[in-house]
Amino acid sequence: MHNITRRQFSMSIAGAFAGLKLASTSDKVKPSVFGGIDVGVQSYTFRAFSVDKMIEAMVAIGLSSVELWDGHLNPGKASEADFKAIKKKFDDAGIKVNAIA
């Protein structure tokens, strides 16, 4: 029996879903609200992914809410143009950015 860590398992699942393309007429993810609770992710979970790959994975697994980790967008180093470009990517995918941590 081969033991794997939770991190290895999570990254392999996220990677597998990132390769899937949902059969849909829209590239926007449906709201991930369950029982009135907005379910999302902290982007640190996808730290091995670029922002574009992270968005692909989030759309594939149906997450519509994110808190950005400074590894994906560092507020101290990003320009206004950087903020607008990242926001547009998330908006185009139907993902709401709730915070930048």
Side-chain angles (χ1 to χ4, degrees):
M1 181 174 182
H2 179 63
N3 292 326
I4 63 171
T5 66
R6 285 182 298 206
R7 180 177 297 152
Q8 291 168 326
F9 177 77
S10 297
M11 293 306 287
S12 65
I13 293 296
F17 281 116
L20 297 176
K21 181 71 177 164
L22 293 177
S24 170
T25 57
S26 172
D27 287 339
K28 289 191 176 190
V29 67
K30 293 179 184 173
S32 53
V33 178
F34 303 95
I37 297 172
D38 189 13
V39 177
V41 68
Q42 216 276 350
S43 73
Y44 180 79
T45 304
F46 296 100
R47 64 192 168 280
F49 290 38
S50 67
V51 169
D52 293 328
K53 288 291 182 187
M54 175 180 58
I55 290 171
E56 267 183 48
M58 288 181 66
V59 169
I61 60 178
L63 291 173
S64 66
S65 180
V66 68
E67 176 183 296
L68 287 177
W69 163 61
D70 67 0
H72 286 121
L73 181 65
N74 187 326
K77 296 180 181 177
S79 68
E80 185 174 342
D82 295 331
F83 279 101
K84 287 181 179 180
I86 293 287
K87 182 172 181 346
K88 181 174 178 1
K89 289 180 182 192
F90 283 103
D91 287 347
D92 289 349
I95 298 171
K96 181 173 71 173
V97 177
N98 291 309
I100 300 174

Coordinates of all heavy atoms in Angstrom, one line a residue:
M1 N 0.8 -1.2 0.0 CA 0.0 0.0 0.0 C 0.9 1.2 0.0 O 1.8 1.3 0.7 CB -0.9 0.0 1.2 CG -1.8 1.1 1.3 SD -2.9 0.9 2.7 CE -3.9 2.4 2.5
H2 N 0.6 2.2 -0.9 CA 1.3 3.4 -1.0 C 0.6 4.5 -0.2 O -0.5 4.8 -0.5 CB 1.5 3.8 -2.5 CG 2.2 5.0 -2.7 ND1 3.6 5.2 -2.3 CD2 1.9 6.2 -3.3 CE1 4.0 6.4 -2.6 NE2 2.9 7.0 -3.2
N3 N 1.3 5.1 0.7 CA 0.7 6.2 1.5 C 1.0 7.6 0.8 O 2.1 7.8 0.3 CB 1.3 6.3 2.9 CG 0.9 5.1 3.7 OD1 -0.2 4.6 3.6 ND2 1.8 4.7 4.6
I4 N -0.1 8.4 0.7 CA 0.1 9.7 0.1 C -0.4 10.7 1.2 O -1.3 10.4 2.0 CB -0.6 9.9 -1.2 CG1 -2.1 9.8 -1.1 CG2 0.0 9.0 -2.3 CD1 -2.9 10.1 -2.3
T5 N 0.1 11.9 1.1 CA -0.3 13.0 2.1 C -1.6 13.6 1.6 O -2.0 13.5 0.4 CB 0.8 14.1 2.2 OG1 0.9 14.7 0.9 CG2 2.1 13.5 2.6
R6 N -2.3 14.3 2.5 CA -3.5 15.0 2.1 C -3.1 16.1 1.0 O -3.9 16.3 0.0 CB -4.1 15.8 3.3 CG -4.8 14.8 4.2 CD -5.4 15.6 5.3 NE -4.3 16.3 6.1 CZ -4.4 16.6 7.3 NH1 -5.4 16.4 8.0 NH2 -3.3 17.2 7.9
R7 N -2.0 16.7 1.1 CA -1.6 17.7 0.1 C -1.4 17.0 -1.3 O -1.9 17.6 -2.3 CB -0.3 18.4 0.5 CG 0.2 19.4 -0.5 CD 1.5 20.1 0.0 NE 1.2 20.8 1.2 CZ 2.1 21.1 2.1 NH1 3.3 20.7 2.0 NH2 1.7 21.7 3.2
Q8 N -0.8 15.9 -1.3 CA -0.6 15.2 -2.6 C -1.9 14.8 -3.2 O -2.2 14.9 -4.4 CB 0.3 14.0 -2.4 CG 1.8 14.3 -2.1 CD 2.5 13.0 -1.7 OE1 2.0 12.2 -1.0 NE2 3.8 13.0 -2.0
F9 N -2.8 14.3 -2.3 CA -4.1 13.9 -2.8 C -4.9 15.1 -3.3 O -5.5 15.0 -4.4 CB -4.9 13.3 -1.6 CG -6.3 12.9 -2.0 CD1 -6.6 11.8 -2.8 CD2 -7.4 13.7 -1.6 CE1 -7.9 11.4 -3.1 CE2 -8.7 13.3 -1.9 CZ -8.9 12.2 -2.7
S10 N -4.9 16.2 -2.6 CA -5.6 17.4 -3.0 C -5.1 18.0 -4.3 O -5.9 18.3 -5.2 CB -5.5 18.5 -1.9 OG -6.1 18.1 -0.7
M11 N -3.8 18.0 -4.4 CA -3.2 18.5 -5.7 C -3.5 17.6 -6.9 O -3.7 18.1 -8.0 CB -1.7 18.8 -5.5 CG -1.4 19.9 -4.5 SD -2.2 21.5 -4.9 CE -1.3 22.0 -6.3
S12 N -3.5 16.3 -6.7 CA -3.8 15.4 -7.8 C -5.3 15.5 -8.2 O -5.6 15.5 -9.4 CB -3.5 14.0 -7.4 OG -4.3 13.5 -6.4
I13 N -6.2 15.7 -7.2 CA -7.6 15.9 -7.6 C -7.8 17.2 -8.3 O -8.5 17.2 -9.3 CB -8.5 15.8 -6.3 CG1 -8.5 14.4 -5.7 CG2 -9.9 16.3 -6.6 CD1 -9.0 13.4 -6.5
A14 N -7.2 18.3 -7.8 CA -7.3 19.6 -8.4 C -6.7 19.5 -9.8 O -7.3 20.1 -10.8 CB -6.6 20.7 -7.6
G15 N -5.6 18.9 -10.0 CA -5.0 18.7 -11.3 C -5.9 17.9 -12.3 O -6.0 18.3 -13.5
A16 N -6.5 16.9 -11.8 CA -7.4 16.1 -12.6 C -8.6 16.9 -13.1 O -8.9 16.9 -14.3 CB -7.8 14.9 -11.9
F17 N -9.2 17.7 -12.2 CA -10.3 18.5 -12.6 C -9.9 19.6 -13.5 O -10.7 20.1 -14.3 CB -11.0 19.0 -11.3 CG -11.9 18.0 -10.7 CD1 -11.7 17.5 -9.4 CD2 -13.0 17.5 -11.4 CE1 -12.5 16.6 -8.8 CE2 -13.9 16.5 -10.8 CZ -13.6 16.1 -9.5
A18 N -8.7 20.1 -13.3 CA -8.3 21.3 -14.2 C -8.2 20.9 -15.6 O -8.4 21.7 -16.5 CB -6.9 21.8 -13.7
G19 N -8.0 19.6 -15.9 CA -7.9 19.1 -17.2 C -9.3 18.9 -17.9 O -9.4 18.7 -19.1
L20 N -10.3 18.9 -17.1 CA -11.7 18.7 -17.6 C -12.3 20.0 -18.1 O -12.1 21.0 -17.5 CB -12.6 18.1 -16.5 CG -12.2 16.8 -16.0 CD1 -13.1 16.4 -14.8 CD2 -12.2 15.7 -17.1
K21 N -13.0 19.9 -19.1 CA -13.7 21.1 -19.6 C -15.2 20.8 -19.5 O -15.7 19.8 -20.0 CB -13.4 21.4 -21.1 CG -14.0 22.6 -21.7 CD -13.5 23.8 -21.1 CE -14.2 25.0 -21.8 NZ -14.0 26.2 -21.1
L22 N -15.9 21.6 -18.8 CA -17.3 21.4 -18.6 C -18.1 21.6 -19.9 O -17.8 22.5 -20.7 CB -17.9 22.4 -17.6 CG -17.4 22.2 -16.1 CD1 -18.0 23.3 -15.3 CD2 -17.8 20.8 -15.6
A23 N -19.0 20.7 -20.2 CA -19.8 20.8 -21.4 C -20.9 21.8 -21.1 O -21.9 21.5 -20.5 CB -20.4 19.4 -21.7
S24 N -20.7 23.0 -21.6 CA -21.6 24.1 -21.3 C -21.5 25.1 -22.4 O -20.5 25.2 -23.1 CB -21.2 24.8 -19.9 OG -21.9 26.0 -19.7
T25 N -22.6 25.9 -22.6 CA -22.5 27.0 -23.6 C -21.8 28.2 -23.0 O -21.6 29.1 -23.7 CB -24.0 27.3 -24.0 OG1 -24.7 27.7 -22.8 CG2 -24.6 26.1 -24.7
S26 N -21.6 28.2 -21.7 CA -20.9 29.4 -21.1 C -19.7 28.9 -20.3 O -19.7 27.8 -19.8 CB -21.9 30.0 -20.1 OG -21.3 31.0 -19.4
D27 N -18.7 29.8 -20.3 CA -17.5 29.5 -19.6 C -17.6 30.0 -18.1 O -16.6 29.9 -17.4 CB -16.3 30.1 -20.2 CG -15.9 29.4 -21.5 OD1 -16.3 28.2 -21.7 OD2 -15.2 30.0 -22.3
K28 N -18.8 30.5 -17.8 CA -18.9 31.0 -16.4 C -19.4 29.9 -15.5 O -20.2 29.0 -15.9 CB -19.9 32.1 -16.4 CG -19.3 33.4 -17.0 CD -20.2 34.6 -16.7 CE -19.6 35.8 -17.2 NZ -20.2 37.0 -16.7
V29 N -18.9 29.9 -14.3 CA -19.3 28.9 -13.3 C -20.6 29.3 -12.6 O -20.9 30.5 -12.5 CB -18.2 28.7 -12.2 CG1 -18.0 29.9 -11.4 CG2 -18.5 27.5 -11.4
K30 N -21.5 28.4 -12.3 CA -22.7 28.7 -11.6 C -22.4 29.0 -10.1 O -21.4 28.5 -9.6 CB -23.7 27.5 -11.6 CG -24.2 27.2 -13.0 CD -25.1 26.0 -13.0 CE -25.5 25.7 -14.4 NZ -26.3 24.4 -14.5
P31 N -23.1 29.9 -9.5 CA -22.8 30.2 -8.1 C -22.7 28.9 -7.2 O -23.6 28.0 -7.3 CB -24.0 31.1 -7.6 CG -24.5 31.6 -8.9 CD -24.3 30.6 -10.0
S32 N -21.7 28.9 -6.4 CA -21.5 27.7 -5.5 C -22.0 28.1 -4.1 O -21.3 28.3 -3.2 CB -20.0 27.3 -5.4 OG -19.2 28.4 -5.1
V33 N -23.4 28.2 -4.0 CA -24.1 28.5 -2.8 C -24.9 27.3 -2.4 O -25.7 26.7 -3.2 CB -25.0 29.7 -3.0 CG1 -25.8 30.0 -1.7 CG2 -24.2 30.9 -3.4
F34 N -24.7 26.8 -1.2 CA -25.3 25.6 -0.7 C -26.0 25.9 0.6 O -25.3 26.3 1.5 CB -24.3 24.4 -0.6 CG -23.6 24.1 -1.9 CD1 -22.4 24.7 -2.1 CD2 -24.2 23.3 -2.8 CE1 -21.7 24.4 -3.3 CE2 -23.5 23.0 -4.0 CZ -22.3 23.6 -4.3
G35 N -27.3 25.7 0.7 CA -28.0 26.0 1.9 C -27.8 27.4 2.3 O -27.8 27.7 3.5
G36 N -27.7 28.4 1.4 CA -27.5 29.8 1.7 C -26.1 30.2 2.0 O -25.8 31.3 2.3
I37 N -25.2 29.2 2.0 CA -23.8 29.5 2.3 C -22.9 29.5 1.0 O -22.9 28.6 0.3 CB -23.2 28.5 3.3 CG1 -24.0 28.5 4.6 CG2 -21.7 28.7 3.5 CD1 -23.7 27.4 5.5
D38 N -22.2 30.7 0.9 CA -21.3 30.8 -0.3 C -20.1 30.0 -0.1 O -19.3 30.3 0.9 CB -21.0 32.3 -0.4 CG -20.3 32.7 -1.7 OD1 -20.2 31.8 -2.6 OD2 -19.7 33.8 -1.8
V39 N -19.8 29.0 -0.9 CA -18.7 28.1 -0.7 C -17.6 28.5 -1.7 O -17.9 28.6 -2.9 CB -19.1 26.6 -0.9 CG1 -17.9 25.7 -0.8 CG2 -20.1 26.2 0.1
G40 N -16.4 28.8 -1.2 CA -15.3 29.2 -2.1 C -14.0 28.5 -1.6 O -14.0 27.5 -0.9
V41 N -12.9 29.2 -2.0 CA -11.6 28.7 -1.8 C -10.7 29.8 -1.5 O -10.8 30.9 -2.1 CB -11.2 27.7 -2.9 CG1 -10.9 28.5 -4.2 CG2 -9.9 26.9 -2.6
Q42 N -9.6 29.5 -0.8 CA -8.5 30.5 -0.6 C -7.5 30.1 -1.7 O -7.2 28.9 -1.8 CB -7.9 30.4 0.8 CG -7.4 31.6 1.4 CD -6.0 32.0 1.0 OE1 -5.3 31.3 0.4 NE2 -5.6 33.2 1.3
S43 N -7.0 31.0 -2.5 CA -6.2 30.6 -3.7 C -4.9 29.9 -3.3 O -4.3 29.3 -4.1 CB -6.0 31.8 -4.6 OG -5.1 32.7 -4.0
Y44 N -4.5 30.0 -2.0 CA -3.3 29.3 -1.6 C -3.4 27.8 -1.9 O -2.5 27.1 -2.2 CB -3.1 29.5 -0.1 CG -1.8 28.8 0.4 CD1 -0.6 29.3 0.2 CD2 -1.9 27.6 1.1 CE1 0.6 28.6 0.7 CE2 -0.8 26.9 1.5 CZ 0.5 27.5 1.3 OH 1.6 26.8 1.8
T45 N -4.7 27.3 -1.9 CA -5.0 25.9 -2.2 C -4.4 25.5 -3.6 O -4.0 24.4 -3.8 CB -6.5 25.6 -2.2 OG1 -7.0 26.0 -0.9 CG2 -6.8 24.2 -2.5
F46 N -4.4 26.5 -4.5 CA -3.9 26.3 -5.9 C -2.6 27.0 -6.1 O -2.3 27.5 -7.1 CB -4.9 26.9 -6.8 CG -6.3 26.2 -6.8 CD1 -7.3 26.7 -6.2 CD2 -6.4 25.0 -7.5 CE1 -8.6 26.1 -6.2 CE2 -7.7 24.4 -7.5 CZ -8.7 24.9 -6.8
R47 N -1.7 27.0 -5.0 CA -0.5 27.7 -5.1 C 0.5 27.2 -6.2 O 1.3 28.0 -6.6 CB 0.2 27.7 -3.7 CG 0.6 26.3 -3.3 CD 1.0 26.3 -1.8 NE 1.1 25.0 -1.2 CZ 0.1 24.3 -0.8 NH1 -1.1 24.7 -0.9 NH2 0.3 23.1 -0.3
A48 N 0.3 26.0 -6.6 CA 1.2 25.5 -7.6 C 0.7 25.8 -9.0 O 1.3 25.5 -10.0 CB 1.3 23.9 -7.5
F49 N -0.5 26.5 -9.1 CA -1.1 26.8 -10.4 C -0.9 28.3 -10.7 O -0.9 29.2 -9.8 CB -2.6 26.6 -10.3 CG -3.0 25.2 -10.3 CD1 -2.3 24.2 -9.5 CD2 -4.2 24.8 -10.9 CE1 -2.8 22.9 -9.5 CE2 -4.6 23.4 -10.9 CZ -3.9 22.5 -10.2
S50 N -0.9 28.7 -12.0 CA -1.0 30.1 -12.4 C -2.4 30.5 -12.1 O -3.3 29.7 -11.9 CB -0.6 30.2 -13.8 OG -1.6 29.6 -14.6
V51 N -2.7 31.8 -12.2 CA -4.0 32.3 -12.0 C -4.9 31.7 -13.1 O -6.1 31.3 -12.8 CB -4.0 33.9 -12.1 CG1 -5.5 34.4 -12.1 CG2 -3.3 34.5 -10.9
D52 N -4.5 31.6 -14.3 CA -5.3 31.1 -15.4 C -5.7 29.6 -15.1 O -6.8 29.2 -15.3 CB -4.6 31.2 -16.7 CG -4.5 32.7 -17.2 OD1 -5.4 33.5 -16.8 OD2 -3.5 33.0 -17.8
K53 N -4.7 28.8 -14.7 CA -4.9 27.4 -14.4 C -5.8 27.2 -13.2 O -6.7 26.4 -13.2 CB -3.6 26.6 -14.2 CG -2.9 26.4 -15.5 CD -3.6 25.5 -16.4 CE -2.8 25.2 -17.6 NZ -3.5 24.4 -18.6
M54 N -5.7 28.1 -12.2 CA -6.5 28.1 -11.0 C -8.0 28.4 -11.4 O -8.9 27.7 -11.0 CB -6.1 29.1 -10.0 CG -7.0 29.2 -8.8 SD -6.4 30.4 -7.5 CE -6.4 31.9 -8.5
I55 N -8.2 29.4 -12.3 CA -9.5 29.7 -12.7 C -10.2 28.5 -13.5 O -11.3 28.2 -13.2 CB -9.6 31.0 -13.6 CG1 -9.3 32.2 -12.7 CG2 -10.9 31.2 -14.3 CD1 -9.0 33.5 -13.4
E56 N -9.4 27.9 -14.3 CA -9.8 26.7 -15.1 C -10.3 25.6 -14.1 O -11.3 25.0 -14.3 CB -8.7 26.1 -15.9 CG -8.7 26.6 -17.3 CD -7.5 25.9 -18.1 OE1 -7.4 24.6 -18.0 OE2 -6.8 26.6 -18.8
A57 N -9.5 25.4 -13.1 CA -9.8 24.3 -12.1 C -11.0 24.7 -11.3 O -11.9 23.8 -11.1 CB -8.6 24.1 -11.2
M58 N -11.2 26.0 -10.9 CA -12.3 26.4 -10.1 C -13.6 26.2 -10.9 O -14.6 25.8 -10.4 CB -12.1 27.8 -9.7 CG -11.1 28.0 -8.6 SD -10.9 29.7 -8.0 CE -12.6 29.9 -7.2
V59 N -13.6 26.6 -12.2 CA -14.7 26.4 -13.1 C -15.0 24.9 -13.2 O -16.2 24.5 -13.1 CB -14.5 27.1 -14.5 CG1 -15.6 26.7 -15.4 CG2 -14.4 28.6 -14.3
A60 N -14.0 24.1 -13.4 CA -14.2 22.7 -13.6 C -14.9 22.0 -12.4 O -15.7 21.1 -12.6 CB -12.9 22.0 -13.9
I61 N -14.5 22.5 -11.2 CA -15.1 21.8 -10.0 C -16.3 22.6 -9.4 O -16.9 22.2 -8.4 CB -14.0 21.6 -8.9 CG1 -13.3 22.9 -8.5 CG2 -13.0 20.6 -9.4 CD1 -12.3 22.7 -7.4
G62 N -16.6 23.8 -10.0 CA -17.8 24.5 -9.6 C -17.7 25.4 -8.5 O -18.7 25.6 -7.8
L63 N -16.5 26.0 -8.3 CA -16.4 27.0 -7.2 C -16.4 28.4 -7.8 O -15.7 28.7 -8.7 CB -15.0 26.8 -6.5 CG -14.9 25.5 -5.7 CD1 -13.5 25.4 -5.1 CD2 -15.9 25.6 -4.5
S64 N -17.3 29.2 -7.2 CA -17.5 30.6 -7.8 C -17.1 31.7 -6.8 O -17.4 32.8 -7.1 CB -19.0 30.7 -8.1 OG -19.8 30.7 -6.9
S65 N -16.3 31.4 -5.8 CA -15.9 32.4 -4.9 C -14.4 32.1 -4.5 O -14.1 31.0 -4.2 CB -16.8 32.3 -3.6 OG -16.4 33.3 -2.7
V66 N -13.6 33.2 -4.4 CA -12.2 33.0 -4.0 C -11.7 34.2 -3.2 O -12.2 35.3 -3.3 CB -11.3 32.9 -5.3 CG1 -11.3 34.2 -6.1 CG2 -9.9 32.5 -5.0
E67 N -10.8 33.8 -2.3 CA -10.0 34.8 -1.5 C -8.6 34.7 -2.1 O -8.0 33.6 -2.0 CB -10.1 34.5 0.0 CG -9.2 35.4 0.8 CD -9.2 35.0 2.3 OE1 -10.3 35.1 2.9 OE2 -8.1 34.6 2.8
L68 N -8.1 35.7 -2.6 CA -6.8 35.6 -3.3 C -5.6 35.7 -2.3 O -5.6 36.5 -1.4 CB -6.6 36.8 -4.3 CG -7.4 36.6 -5.6 CD1 -7.1 37.9 -6.4 CD2 -7.0 35.4 -6.3
W69 N -4.7 34.8 -2.4 CA -3.5 34.7 -1.7 C -2.5 35.7 -2.3 O -2.5 35.8 -3.6 CB -3.0 33.3 -1.7 CG -1.6 33.0 -1.3 CD1 -1.0 33.2 -0.1 CD2 -0.6 32.3 -2.2 NE1 0.3 32.8 -0.2 CE2 0.5 32.2 -1.4 CE3 -0.6 31.8 -3.4 CZ2 1.7 31.6 -1.9 CZ3 0.5 31.2 -3.9 CH2 1.6 31.1 -3.1
D70 N -1.6 36.3 -1.6 CA -0.7 37.2 -2.2 C 0.4 36.6 -3.1 O 1.0 37.3 -3.9 CB 0.0 38.1 -1.1 CG 1.0 37.3 -0.2 OD1 1.2 36.1 -0.4 OD2 1.6 37.9 0.7
G71 N 0.4 35.3 -3.2 CA 1.3 34.7 -4.2 C 0.6 34.7 -5.6 O 1.3 34.6 -6.6
H72 N -0.7 34.9 -5.7 CA -1.4 35.1 -6.9 C -1.5 36.6 -7.3 O -1.6 36.9 -8.5 CB -2.7 34.4 -6.9 CG -2.6 32.9 -7.0 ND1 -3.1 32.1 -6.1 CD2 -2.1 32.1 -8.0 CE1 -2.9 30.8 -6.4 NE2 -2.2 30.8 -7.6
L73 N -1.7 37.4 -6.3 CA -1.8 38.9 -6.5 C -1.3 39.6 -5.2 O -2.0 39.5 -4.2 CB -3.2 39.3 -6.8 CG -3.4 40.8 -7.1 CD1 -2.7 41.2 -8.3 CD2 -4.9 41.1 -7.2
N74 N -0.1 40.1 -5.3 CA 0.5 40.8 -4.1 C 0.1 42.3 -4.2 O 0.5 43.0 -5.0 CB 2.0 40.7 -4.2 CG 2.7 41.2 -2.9 OD1 2.2 42.1 -2.3 ND2 3.8 40.6 -2.5
P75 N -0.8 42.7 -3.2 CA -1.2 44.1 -3.2 C -0.1 45.1 -3.1 O -0.2 46.2 -3.5 CB -2.1 44.2 -2.0 CG -2.4 42.8 -1.6 CD -1.3 41.9 -2.1
G76 N 1.0 44.7 -2.4 CA 2.1 45.7 -2.3 C 2.9 45.9 -3.5 O 3.7 46.9 -3.6
K77 N 2.8 45.0 -4.5 CA 3.6 45.0 -5.7 C 2.8 45.2 -7.0 O 3.3 45.5 -8.0 CB 4.4 43.7 -5.8 CG 5.5 43.6 -4.7 CD 6.2 42.3 -4.9 CE 7.2 42.1 -3.8 NZ 8.0 40.8 -3.9
A78 N 1.5 45.0 -6.9 CA 0.6 45.0 -8.1 C 0.2 46.5 -8.4 O 0.0 47.3 -7.5 CB -0.6 44.2 -7.8
S79 N 0.2 46.7 -9.7 CA -0.3 48.1 -10.1 C -1.8 48.0 -10.3 O -2.4 47.0 -10.2 CB 0.3 48.4 -11.5 OG -0.2 47.5 -12.5
E80 N -2.4 49.2 -10.5 CA -3.8 49.2 -10.8 C -4.2 48.4 -12.0 O -5.2 47.7 -12.0 CB -4.3 50.7 -10.9 CG -5.8 50.8 -11.1 CD -6.3 52.3 -11.1 OE1 -5.5 53.2 -10.7 OE2 -7.4 52.5 -11.5
A81 N -3.4 48.4 -13.0 CA -3.6 47.6 -14.2 C -3.6 46.1 -13.9 O -4.4 45.4 -14.4 CB -2.6 47.9 -15.3
D82 N -2.7 45.7 -13.0 CA -2.6 44.3 -12.6 C -4.0 43.9 -11.9 O -4.5 42.8 -12.2 CB -1.5 44.0 -11.6 CG -0.1 44.2 -12.2 OD1 0.0 44.0 -13.4 OD2 0.8 44.6 -11.5
F83 N -4.4 44.8 -11.0 CA -5.7 44.5 -10.3 C -6.8 44.3 -11.3 O -7.7 43.4 -11.2 CB -6.0 45.6 -9.3 CG -5.3 45.5 -8.0 CD1 -4.2 46.2 -7.7 CD2 -5.7 44.6 -7.0 CE1 -3.5 46.1 -6.5 CE2 -5.1 44.4 -5.8 CZ -3.9 45.2 -5.5
K84 N -6.9 45.3 -12.2 CA -8.0 45.3 -13.2 C -7.9 44.0 -14.1 O -9.0 43.4 -14.4 CB -8.0 46.5 -14.1 CG -8.4 47.7 -13.3 CD -8.4 49.0 -14.2 CE -8.9 50.2 -13.4 NZ -8.9 51.4 -14.2
A85 N -6.7 43.6 -14.5 CA -6.5 42.5 -15.4 C -7.0 41.2 -14.7 O -7.7 40.3 -15.2 CB -5.1 42.4 -15.9
I86 N -6.6 41.0 -13.4 CA -6.9 39.8 -12.6 C -8.4 39.8 -12.4 O -9.1 38.8 -12.5 CB -6.2 39.8 -11.3 CG1 -4.7 39.6 -11.5 CG2 -6.7 38.7 -10.3 CD1 -4.3 38.2 -11.9
K87 N -9.0 41.0 -12.0 CA -10.4 41.0 -11.8 C -11.2 40.7 -13.0 O -12.2 39.9 -12.9 CB -10.8 42.4 -11.3 CG -12.3 42.5 -11.0 CD -12.7 43.8 -10.3 CE -14.1 44.0 -10.0 NZ -15.1 43.1 -10.5
K88 N -10.8 41.1 -14.2 CA -11.5 40.8 -15.4 C -11.5 39.3 -15.7 O -12.5 38.7 -16.1 CB -10.8 41.5 -16.6 CG -11.6 41.2 -17.9 CD -11.0 42.0 -19.1 CE -11.7 41.8 -20.4 NZ -12.7 40.8 -20.5
K89 N -10.3 38.6 -15.4 CA -10.2 37.2 -15.6 C -11.3 36.4 -14.7 O -11.9 35.5 -15.2 CB -8.8 36.7 -15.3 CG -7.8 37.1 -16.3 CD -6.4 36.5 -15.9 CE -5.4 37.0 -16.9 NZ -4.1 36.3 -16.8
F90 N -11.3 36.9 -13.5 CA -12.3 36.2 -12.6 C -13.7 36.6 -12.9 O -14.6 35.7 -12.9 CB -12.0 36.6 -11.1 CG -10.9 35.8 -10.5 CD1 -9.6 36.5 -10.4 CD2 -11.0 34.5 -10.1 CE1 -8.6 35.8 -9.8 CE2 -9.9 33.8 -9.6 CZ -8.7 34.4 -9.5
D91 N -14.0 37.8 -13.3 CA -15.3 38.2 -13.7 C -15.8 37.4 -15.0 O -16.9 37.0 -15.0 CB -15.4 39.7 -14.0 CG -15.3 40.6 -12.8 OD1 -15.5 40.1 -11.7 OD2 -15.1 41.8 -13.0
D92 N -14.9 37.3 -15.9 CA -15.2 36.6 -17.2 C -15.6 35.1 -16.9 O -16.3 34.5 -17.6 CB -14.0 36.6 -18.1 CG -13.9 38.0 -18.8 OD1 -14.7 38.9 -18.6 OD2 -12.8 38.2 -19.4
A93 N -15.0 34.5 -15.8 CA -15.3 33.2 -15.4 C -16.5 33.0 -14.5 O -16.9 31.9 -14.2 CB -14.0 32.5 -14.8
G94 N -17.0 34.2 -14.0 CA -18.1 34.2 -13.1 C -17.7 33.9 -11.7 O -18.5 33.4 -10.9
I95 N -16.5 34.2 -11.3 CA -15.9 33.9 -10.0 C -15.8 35.3 -9.3 O -15.2 36.2 -9.8 CB -14.6 33.2 -10.1 CG1 -14.7 31.9 -10.7 CG2 -14.0 33.1 -8.6 CD1 -13.4 31.2 -11.1
K96 N -16.4 35.3 -8.0 CA -16.3 36.5 -7.2 C -15.1 36.5 -6.3 O -14.8 35.5 -5.6 CB -17.6 36.6 -6.4 CG -17.7 37.8 -5.5 CD -19.0 37.9 -4.8 CE -19.2 36.8 -3.7 NZ -20.3 36.9 -2.9
V97 N -14.3 37.6 -6.4 CA -13.2 37.7 -5.5 C -13.7 38.4 -4.2 O -14.1 39.6 -4.3 CB -12.0 38.6 -6.2 CG1 -10.9 38.8 -5.2 CG2 -11.6 37.9 -7.5
N98 N -13.6 37.7 -3.1 CA -14.1 38.3 -1.9 C -13.1 39.0 -1.0 O -13.4 39.9 -0.3 CB -14.6 37.1 -1.0 CG -15.9 36.5 -1.6 OD1 -16.8 37.3 -1.9 ND2 -15.9 35.2 -1.7
A99 N -11.8 38.7 -1.2 CA -10.8 39.3 -0.4 C -9.4 39.0 -1.0 O -9.2 38.1 -1.8 CB -10.8 38.8 1.0
I100 N -8.4 39.8 -0.6 CA -7.0 39.6 -1.0 C -6.3 39.5 0.4 O -6.2 40.4 1.1 CB -6.5 40.7 -1.9 CG1 -7.3 40.8 -3.1 CG2 -5.0 40.4 -2.1 CD1 -6.9 41.9 -4.0
A101 N -5.8 38.3 0.6 CA -5.1 38.1 1.9 C -3.6 38.1 1.8 O -3.0 37.8 0.8 CB -5.5 36.7 2.5

